[in-house]
Amino acid sequence: MPYQWLPQTDPGVTKLRLWPHRSLSRRGFVAFIAVTAAMLTLPLMTQLGTGGLWVILAFMTAVLGGLWFALQHSFRTGSVTEDLTLTRDLISLHRHNPSAPAQDWQANPNWVRTTLHPTGGPVMNYLTLSGNQREVELGAFLQPDERQQIHDRLQYLLSTLHLPLDNLPPA
């Protein structure tokens, strides 16, 4: 899952980290480029010693360059992370964007409302947090069922904020 409820280091502090799903690791990227280059050299071998070699070589280089650029761009844009911290007195969300300034939001958790929009949002099961006169999205890059699970857990945590700490269930 591309989110993790972090272990509690301080009593009464709950942390959640979210990131987009990455189906291709860096190691897989290298293997994919290597296999693609090897497969593209097969037609190149038939043209050794002819003028067509340079034409095929130019197209092969363009294909590999385009793949490299597209996958690198995908890695850069997929490096967004969201960190949610919940205490008795404060809920804060920090979003690290790869090509834009970081975004921060915080509010009193007693007045925060979590809303799951099954339809009508940019994605299915769009999850928002409202408080401090602002509404922010949470985990728009996650799957709908993952946003549902986070919504349910946050609802529960917000409803149990003022219970004694020894009565809280483990994260």
Side-chain angles (χ1 to χ4, degrees):
M1 279 193 215
Y3 70 90
Q4 179 183 20
W5 293 96
L6 301 174
Q8 286 188 326
T9 55
D10 299 326
V13 177
T14 304
K15 293 184 179 188
L16 170 67
R17 170 161 284 167
L18 304 105
W19 62 91
H21 176 71
R22 306 301 304 161
S23 59
L24 184 65
S25 67
R26 288 285 181 181
R27 193 175 245 177
F29 166 75
V30 171
F32 177 74
I33 292 292
V35 168
T36 303
M39 296 298 278
L40 287 174
T41 58
L42 292 176
L44 198 61
M45 296 297 167
T46 64
Q47 298 298 313
L48 286 177
T50 68
L53 172 75
W54 298 107
V55 174
I56 293 177
L57 186 61
F59 281 109
M60 184 180 99
T61 305
V63 166
L64 278 177
L67 277 173
W68 182 280
F69 175 78
L71 290 173
Q72 287 297 329
H73 177 72
S74 174
F75 276 118
R76 276 192 307 277
T77 58
S79 64
V80 64
T81 58
E82 293 179 356
D83 292 306
L84 180 86
T85 305
L86 176 63
T87 65
R88 289 175 178 260
D89 303 321
L90 186 70
I91 183 170
S92 64
L93 179 64
H94 175 79
R95 180 182 171 105
H96 170 74
N97 297 306
S99 58
Q103 296 170 302
D104 291 303
W105 170 84
Q106 49 186 253
N108 183 333
N110 296 312
W111 302 106
V112 169
R113 187 178 77 240
T114 62
T115 308
L116 192 66
H117 307 272
T119 59
V123 293
M124 195 170 109
N125 280 352
Y126 187 61
L127 178 58
T128 60
L129 302 174
S130 303
N132 204 16
Q133 300 171 349
R134 259 178 79 195
E135 185 173 39
V136 295
E137 70 180 17
L138 182 64
F141 43 77
L142 298 176
Q143 294 295 318
D145 61 324
E146 293 168 338
R147 285 190 293 275
Q148 176 72 52
Q149 293 168 3
I150 290 172
H151 172 263
D152 295 344
R153 178 82 176 145
L154 275 175
Q155 285 280 79
Y156 177 76
L157 289 171
L158 288 169
S159 70
T160 60
L161 271 181
H162 293 290
L163 292 177
L165 289 177
D166 54 356
N167 290 344
L168 287 178

